[in-house]
Amino acid sequence: MSGERAGRGALPPPVLVGALPVHPVRLGDLLRWLEERISRHERVTVFYANVHAANLARRDEGFRAAYASVDAVFCDGQGLRLGAALVGRPLPERFTPPDWIDSLLSLSPVRRAGVFLLGGCPDVVDKALGALRVRHPDVRAAGHHGYFLGADEDEQAVIDAVRGFGPGLLLVGMGMPLQERWVAGHRDELAADVVMTVGALIDHLSGTASRGPRWLTDNGLEWLCRLWCEPRRLWRRYLLGNPAFLLAIARQVVAERGRGSRWSPGQAGPTSPVGPARRRPRSSRGSAAAPLSRGRRSIRAVRARIRKSSASEGAAA
C-alpha cells in the first residue's frame, strides 16, 4: 500500500485482516481526507473491503496486489469488522457508499471539480445521473455504463471520456473483482483526483436495487437482504464464503499466537497465514491432545480480545 499523505486529516496506518490491509478509519475522517486530496488535486485511489474481498484476496494474488497498491481501504462490512476484532485489530466503524454518497457529493471540492459515474447498464447509469442531479443540482456530473470491456476501442473511448471531463471524483461500480482489477490496470490513464470503487452504488442511486430495511442493514445483516433478492447469484458468496472467512481468521489467530508476532504497516502481506491450509500428517490421539489444548487457549484469548475491543469502543463513544 502506498504511503499516507501528510497533513490535515491523514489516515491511520492500515491493519491486516486476513490478506487485506484496511485503514481503521471513521467516516468523518475519511471524508476530510478525501476533501483535502481533491482540493489539492492529489491523485489517490480508494477501495472498500468486506468479507467477499477478503476471500478473493486469499486466493487471488492479482486482486491482493491491487489492494496493496491503493492509498486507502475502508471497512464496508460488519463481517470484516468482526474478523478484525478476532485478530485483535479492531476497526472503529463500518460504512457503505450508499449511506454516505450525499455527504461525499456535498463536499465543496467535489461540487467544483465534478463527479463521473462509471458502471451499470446504459439505462441504469442514466437514471443514476438523473437522480444525482436532482439531489445535488450544483454538482457537475457525467457518466458511462460499465459494459465496455472486451473491445479495446470502447475501453479507450471510456478513458478518453473520463479524461475529457476531468472529474475530481471518479466512482467505479462494476462489481468485485472486476472493478478493482480494471482500476489497478488503468489508474495512470484515468484523469481524476480520486478514483473510488463503489460496487452497487450506481444501481442504488438509480432506484433499480433495494437494500432492505434499516434494522437489518444497520445490524450487520445486509448480506441476508442481498441473498434474499438474488439467491441464485449470491448464495455461494454468502453461504460458503462467510464460513470460509471465519475459518481463515481462526487460522490467522492461531498461527500468529504460535509465532508470537504481529503484522505491522509496511510488512509484506504474504507473511500472514491467509493461504490454503496445509494438510497435516495424521497423528495418534495422544499426540493430538496438546494442539487441542492450545486451540482452547486461543479461543479464550479471542473472546477476551472481543470483550476488550467492545469495552474500548464503548468508552470512546
Side-chain angles (χ1 to χ4, degrees), residues 87 89 252-264 267 271-273 305:
V87 296
R89 298 163 189 144
Q252 181 179 351
V253 170
V254 173
E256 288 188 357
R257 281 179 57 83
R259 290 198 309 268
S261 62
R262 290 278 184 164
W263 179 86
S264 59
Q267 181 178 337
T271 59
S272 173
R305 287 177 182 173

Side-chain angles (χ1 to χ4, degrees), residues 147-168:
Y147 289 81
F148 57 85
L149 299 180
D152 293 340
E153 299 83 3
D154 293 344
E155 192 166 33
Q156 187 58 50
V158 169
I159 294 171
D160 291 342
V162 175
R163 184 182 294 118
F165 188 77

Side-chain angles (χ1 to χ4, degrees), residues 76-314:
D76 176 60
Q78 289 290 8
L80 188 83
R81 194 166 177 238
L82 171 63
L86 290 173
V87 296
R89 298 163 189 144
L91 299 172
E93 197 174 354
R94 167 262 186 187
F95 41 91
T96 189
D99 287 338
W100 54 286
I101 182 61
D102 290 312
S103 298
L104 180 60
L105 295 179
S106 297
L107 297 177
S108 296
V110 175
R111 294 201 304 271
R112 291 194 301 268
V115 59
F116 195 102
L117 305 182
L118 180 58
C121 301
D123 58 332
V124 168
V125 72
D126 290 340
K127 290 178 182 178
L129 284 170
L132 188 153
R133 288 165 179 150
V134 169
R135 288 156 62 171
H136 300 276
D138 56 340
V139 175
R140 193 170 64 97
H144 194 284
H145 66 80
Y147 289 81
F148 57 85
L149 299 180
D152 293 340
E153 299 83 3
D154 293 344
E155 192 166 33
Q156 187 58 50
V158 169
I159 294 171
D160 291 342
V162 175
R163 184 182 294 118
F165 188 77
L169 179 64
L170 171 61
L171 302 179
V172 183
M174 298 192 295
M176 186 180 289
L178 183 61
Q179 59 193 7
E180 288 79 16
R181 290 172 177 163
W182 191 82
V183 169
H186 297 279
R187 182 60 180 101
D188 292 341
E189 305 169 72
L190 298 171
D193 298 327
V194 173
V195 177
M196 185 166 71
T197 57
V198 293
L201 171 65
I202 296 172
D203 293 328
H204 291 299
L205 278 176
S206 69
T208 58
S210 59
R211 298 185 57 204
R214 293 298 297 265
W215 65 270
L216 283 176
T217 60
D218 290 348
N219 289 283
L221 293 175
E222 184 163 357
W223 67 271
L224 188 59
C225 301
R226 296 194 64 191
L227 179 61
W228 178 266
C229 294
E230 300 181 86
R232 295 186 64 182
R233 187 174 74 89
L234 298 176
W235 73 269
R236 188 180 299 273
R237 176 187 301 186
Y238 295 123
L239 299 185
L240 301 182
N242 288 354
F245 170 73
L246 292 176
L247 180 59
I249 288 295
R251 288 172 177 156
Q252 181 179 351
V253 170
V254 173
E256 288 188 357
R257 281 179 57 83
R259 290 198 309 268
S261 62
R262 290 278 184 164
W263 179 86
S264 59
Q267 181 178 337
T271 59
S272 173
V274 295
R278 295 179 179 176
R279 293 187 179 273
R280 295 182 177 178
R282 294 180 181 270
S283 58
S284 64
R285 291 185 179 181
S287 62
L292 180 60
S293 176
R294 288 196 297 270
R296 286 172 177 166
R297 290 198 300 271
S298 297
I299 292 173
R300 288 198 296 270
V302 167
R303 289 173 177 167
R305 287 177 182 173
I306 295 174
R307 288 195 295 269
K308 182 177 179 181
S309 174
S310 300
S312 63
E313 287 188 15

